[in-house]
Amino acid sequence: MDQKQLQECHERIKPFIHNTPVLTSRLIDQMVGASVFFKCENFQRMGAFKMRGAANAIMQLPKALQQKGVVTHSSGNFAQALSLAAQSLGVKAFIVIPKNAPQVKKNAVKGYGGIVIECESTLEAREKEAKKIEEEQGATFIHPSNDDAVILGQGTACMELLEEHSGLDCVFAPVGGGGLIAGTALAAHYFGNSCKVIGGEPLAADDAYRSLKSGVIETNITANTVADGLRTHLGDRNFPIIQRYVDHITRVTEDEIIAAMQILWERLKIVCEPSSAVAFAATLKEKELLEGKKIGIIISGGNVDVNRLPFSSLDS
């Protein structure tokens, strides 16, 4: 994947995405000791960066395959992203969702035009059902993060950030399945000026950190983190990009994630989800190394249950 492919991807998906705002805060700058620029993908269509990759992946399919639809298995942001992208492009989207997923997520997918197919909550059941739809409907499976077209699409967020602020020294992005940080790393490599990319990852789900150390894709036995969007592991398409272009990954505790999320809500006045706060938490943890620098942070999404905020007091 090269510079030209990223540029072509951006032009392709522009009619279907928002060029999201970049926000700053003088108090946060003082807190970090650096100039911090937040690329706010919580203002993206369907509320997360994943709209970019979903749109590009569908648009890269031949028309004959588009007419047969697309399928994925997800109960998170990608389920909504693929549904909305497909609806925008006049394509059917079949979304395999575990039966025990919150009804609000199923309703959101349906609201974006996705066709919901429920299954048991195991990965094996999800993959089996998706495969069945591929065979019966002729739909094309699109992976939420381990897909070249998806990775390129996610990289356009960092492209836009660097177009607006070309002199960034580094960009922090959260790490889950690896699509966002891989795309961010490609964009920083091709459009930045010696711009490093640093990942933020929950200590409770640190498979990417361990993967970079060991050189092979590691998995998590448990992933008990408030950053529910980062519980997935890397894939064979994005891991080599991460190995080559990501400087390092910083792990953060649950308390650090929640504290960072609260600061973002209070100081930027935005709704962001815990997974988004992980990159900022990593920035705060590394602030001694960032003094006087220009820092970009990808706020990955804002799809959060406002009735269950992790920093809310039950007594208030």
Side-chain angles (χ1 to χ4, degrees), residues 42-112:
N42 52 316
F43 293 117
Q44 189 52 261
R45 292 184 70 198
M46 56 67 54
F49 73 93
K50 294 194 175 186
M51 181 66 187
R52 297 172 180 272
N56 191 47
I58 295 172
M59 295 178 82
Q60 286 291 79
L61 294 176
K63 290 292 182 186
L65 289 181
Q66 287 187 23
Q67 289 170 4
K68 294 181 178 180
V70 292
V71 60
T72 197
H73 53 77
S74 167
S75 58
N77 284 337
F78 194 74
Q80 296 176 51
L82 194 68
S83 299
L84 179 57
Q87 184 183 62
S88 302
L89 293 160
V91 173
K92 286 182 185 176
F94 300 93
I95 312 295
V96 178
I97 295 182
K99 289 177 182 175
N100 62 356
Q103 189 61 43
V104 66
K105 292 191 175 183
K106 296 173 190 175
N107 293 343
V109 169
K110 290 175 183 176
Y112 289 130

Side-chain angles (χ1 to χ4, degrees), residues 185-200:
L186 286 171
H189 174 70
Y190 288 117
F191 298 97
N193 183 14
S194 300
C195 178
K196 292 181 180 178
V197 169
I198 300 167

